[in-house]
Amino acid sequence: SVLALMACAGLWLSYACAPIQLSDEKPGASPRFTASADPFPNILLLTQEGRPVRFYDDLVKGKTVLVNFIYTSCQKSCSPTTANLARLHGLLGDRVGRDLFLLSISLDPAVDRPATLKEYATRFGQFRGWYFLTGNEAEIEDLRRKLGLYDLDPVIDRDKTQHAGIVIVGNDTTNRWSSLPALMDPRQIAKTVLRISRN
C-alpha cells in the first residue's frame, strides 16, 4: 500500500511510538519514503459543510496535510485528539488553510454525516483549513488501510474503540511523510509539520 511503511508496532493502540524514520537518513533528518506504484485512493468525500471533495485532487495534491481518523461518538481518544490538534492549529498560524490542511476522516460515516461532523467540530472552535470528512464506508476503509492505519489482528482491527491515536503528516510536493502519536506535545508535532512542509 502507499503508506504501509508508516505502520509501527502496536499502531492502533499506541500513543508512545516515536516518529517513524522512513529511510536510511541520519537521525534528525526529515523522514520520507518512496511511494509505491499504488496511487492514493482519490475517493469522494463530503466536508462538514456538505461540500464534495476528492481526497487526492482537492485535499492532498500539492499540499502538506495532517490526516487522522475519528468518529464523533468516540470520547476515549477522539475528543482528546481533536482538542490536541486544535492546540496544534493555533501553533501553525496562518499557514493552515493556505498550503497546509488538517483532515479528520470519520470511521463511522453512516452516523457522521456533514451536520454531525460540523456540530462536533464546533465543540473545539472554528478553524480555517481543517476539514472533517465523511463518505462511503467501504472507500474510507480502503483509504485507512492504504494509509497503514490498521491492526494485523482482524478482531482488534474491526473494533472501532481501538482505533489508532496516530496522525499522518505528509508533503505531497516533496513526497516526505511521517506518522506521530496524536496526543504527543503539539509543539513537537508542529516542529515535524514545519520541517516536512519545506519544499
Side-chain angles (χ1 to χ4, degrees), residues 36-54:
S36 73
D38 296 335
F40 284 100
N42 196 28
I43 65 173
L44 181 66
L45 297 166
L46 293 174
T47 71
Q48 69 267 39
E49 303 294 340
R51 182 166 66 91
V53 289
R54 290 283 176 183

Side-chain angles (χ1 to χ4, degrees), residues 21 23 25-26 28-32 176-177 192 195-196 198:
Q21 190 79 18
S23 70
E25 298 173 352
K26 296 177 181 178
S30 296
R32 63 182 162 210
R176 293 151 66 103
W177 296 85
T192 300
R195 188 176 73 238
I196 288 178
R198 292 198 299 264

Side-chain angles (χ1 to χ4, degrees), residues 45-177:
L45 297 166
L46 293 174
T47 71
Q48 69 267 39
E49 303 294 340
R51 182 166 66 91
V53 289
R54 290 283 176 183
F55 178 74
Y56 181 73
D57 288 348
D58 298 322
L59 301 176
V60 175
K61 187 176 181 180
K63 304 175 182 70
T64 297
V65 293
L66 290 83
V67 184
N68 76 309
F69 288 84
I70 64 164
Y71 60 103
T72 59
S73 59
C74 163
Q75 299 299 316
K76 185 175 181 181
S77 63
C78 295
S79 291
T81 290
T82 305
N84 201 46
L85 293 179
R87 291 188 284 272
L88 171 67
H89 190 288
L91 294 172
L92 294 173
D94 62 5
R95 286 282 306 274
V96 185
R98 281 193 293 121
D99 59 345
L100 176 61
F101 294 85
L102 281 69
L103 313 176
S104 293
I105 304 171
S106 175
L107 289 169
D108 192 11
V111 172
D112 292 339
R113 305 312 300 155
T116 304
L117 288 171
K118 185 173 183 178
E119 189 279 328
Y120 176 82
T122 56
R123 295 180 209 168
F124 302 91
Q126 298 290 333
F127 299 100
R128 177 182 179 221
W130 189 352
Y131 298 114
F132 290 78
L133 300 152
T134 188
N136 177 274
E137 185 170 5
E139 291 179 340
I140 289 174
E141 174 65 11
D142 180 57
L143 176 62
R144 177 178 72 86
R145 297 188 73 84
K146 288 286 179 66
L147 292 174
L149 293 178
Y150 62 92
D151 195 279
L152 294 177
D153 183 332
V155 175
I156 294 174
D157 192 58
R158 285 193 298 269
D159 184 355
K160 289 190 179 75
T161 67
Q162 300 193 59
H163 72 93
I166 298 293
V167 60
I168 292 171
V169 183
N171 181 335
D172 180 63
T173 301
T174 61
N175 201 28
R176 293 151 66 103
W177 296 85

